[in-house]
Amino acid sequence: MLVIRPIKETDYPALLQMAVGSGIGFTSLPVDEPLLREKLAHSIRSFASDIDHPGDLHYLMVAEDTETGEVVGTSAIDAAVGMASPFYTYHLGKVVHASRSLNVYNVVETLTLTNDYTGVTELCTLFLQESHRQGQNGRLLSKCRFLLMAEHPQRFNDSVIAEMRGVSDEQGRSPFWQWLQDNFFSVDFPTADYLTGVGKKEFIAELMPKYPIYVNLLSKEAQAVIGEVHEKTRPALRLLEAEGFCKHGYVDIFDAGPTVECPLKLIESVKHSFKVTVHIGQPSDAAEEMLLTNARLQEFRACVSQIELDSKKCHAVISKEAAKALEVTDGEQIRIGALRFEQ
C-alpha cells in the first residue's frame, strides 16, 4: 500500500533522487541541493504553521510504500504563487488589424507576458517512480491534494491552477523555447528551465520581449506546440480535466505548455468529498475502493482502500491496514472521495 504524508528531513535523499529522475522541464523539482533542502524546510514550516489564510506556504508530500518503507513519489501545493518571486505566464490573446477602405480584416493571435496568477494556489511537483506507476497510485498522489484543500480551505486561494509540462524532446529541446532562444535569449532550454527552478528569474524580466509577441511570426514548429502537453503529461491533464480544470489561454513562458484552472469549490473531489466516522474491522467484498484521508494537517495521511459505508453515509468500516496507514483510531472521523469522475 502507498501512503501519502508530509515530507520530513530524512526524506531528502529520496527527494534528490526524484529530482534527478524527473528530467528536464520539471521546473519545480530542480537538481540543486540548497534549493531542495529549502523546499523541504519550507514545507515543514508550512505544515506546522498556525494560520487561517493563504500565504507563501508550500506543502510538499511524499508517497511511501508501506511494505518497503521506500519513498517513491512526491506531490505538492503552493498556497499562493508569486508572493516571494514573480510568477510569469503568457496569455494567448487576439488583436484585429482591419481596414474598411481596403476591405481587409485580419485576426492575429498574440502572446503577452503577465503576472495574472499572482496569489492563486498551484498544484505542482507531481512525480511517481516508474516502478509504482500502476493501479490507483497515480490518482492517489494527485487527488489527495484536493481532499487536503477540502479539509483546510482557509489555507488556499479561491482559484487553483496547474501548469502542465509542454512539448520537448528527449534531449530537452523545446520548439517554442528554440524560437525565443534564437531571437532573444541565447540560452538553451535546460539552462533557462534550471535557472527558473532555482529562483534566478531576473533574466526573464531582463531579456523577455517587452511587447506582445505575434504568434504568426514564430516558427511553424513553435506555433504547433502552443498549449500542447508533453506526451508523458497527458494522463495528468485528463485527470485534472475530469476534476473540472480547463484552459483559459495561459501558457508557460518556456515550453508553452497550458495552464489549467478551476475554482477551489468547484473541483469535483472538493465538492463531493465528505467525512465519516470510522469503525475498524473488515469491509465486505462488495465494499468500494475510495480515496481516504485523515482530518489532520501536520500529520496528514492519505491512502486508497476499501471502505464500507452505511446507508446514510455517516459511518464506515475500514480495515486495520487502512487505519494504520491513516493513523486513525476507532470512532475517529476521516474524509473520503471518489477515485474517478466521468467527464
Side-chain angles (χ1 to χ4, degrees), residues 120-301:
V120 306
T121 293
E122 183 190 16
L123 305 172
C124 55
T125 323
L126 183 68
F127 179 78
L128 183 63
Q129 289 185 2
E130 287 193 21
S131 59
H132 285 71
R133 293 176 188 173
Q134 55 192 349
Q136 304 295 346
N137 291 344
R139 289 181 175 274
L140 166 64
L141 193 59
S142 178
K143 291 166 73 73
C144 70
R145 298 175 293 188
F146 301 133
L147 268 63
L148 177 66
M149 290 190 286
E151 186 65 31
H152 308 280
Q154 73 280 4
R155 286 178 168 262
F156 304 98
N157 190 269
D158 293 337
S159 184
V160 182
I161 65 168
E163 287 190 307
M164 312 308 295
R165 186 177 179 181
V167 176
S168 61
D169 63 21
E170 294 181 359
Q171 286 71 44
R173 291 188 295 263
S174 160
F176 182 77
W177 179 260
Q178 188 64 52
W179 184 87
L180 286 173
Q181 176 184 332
D182 292 343
N183 291 277
F184 297 98
F185 282 87
S186 301
V187 175
D188 63 20
F189 177 65
T191 301
D193 183 67
Y194 173 77
L195 289 172
T196 300
V198 299
K200 297 180 179 179
K201 300 181 180 180
E202 312 84 49
F203 75 98
I204 298 174
E206 293 167 349
L207 299 177
M208 189 65 77
K210 303 299 187 293
Y211 301 100
I213 297 172
Y214 280 59
V215 172
N216 59 359
L217 299 182
L218 274 65
S219 67
K220 297 299 182 184
E221 294 79 8
Q223 293 182 46
V225 300
I226 294 175
E228 298 298 322
V229 298
H230 193 283
E231 60 179 4
K232 292 184 179 179
T233 306
R234 288 171 189 160
L237 177 59
R238 288 195 295 269
L239 189 151
L240 290 176
E241 288 174 337
E243 290 284 351
F245 284 77
C246 57
K247 302 174 185 178
H248 285 271
Y250 288 88
V251 300
D252 184 77
I253 61 173
F254 296 135
D255 59 22
T259 297
V260 294
E261 61 181 284
C262 185
L264 174 60
K265 63 182 180 181
L266 296 183
I267 297 172
E268 293 293 331
S269 287
V270 173
K271 281 196 304 182
H272 298 294
S273 70
F274 58 96
K275 296 173 77 171
V276 296
T277 300
V278 296
H279 302 286
I280 301 171
Q282 184 57 52
S284 69
D285 293 338
E288 187 178 357
E289 196 173 47
M290 299 186 75
L291 175 62
L292 317 180
T293 70
N294 63 24
R296 303 174 206 146
L297 180 70
Q298 196 168 356
E299 296 84 23
F300 177 78
R301 297 291 186 275

Side-chain angles (χ1 to χ4, degrees), residues 322-341:
K324 182 179 179 181
L326 297 177
E327 298 184 356
V328 296
T329 57
D330 201 87
E332 196 169 337
Q333 283 201 318
I334 66 171
R335 181 173 291 274
I336 68 175
L339 286 167
R340 294 180 181 275
F341 293 102

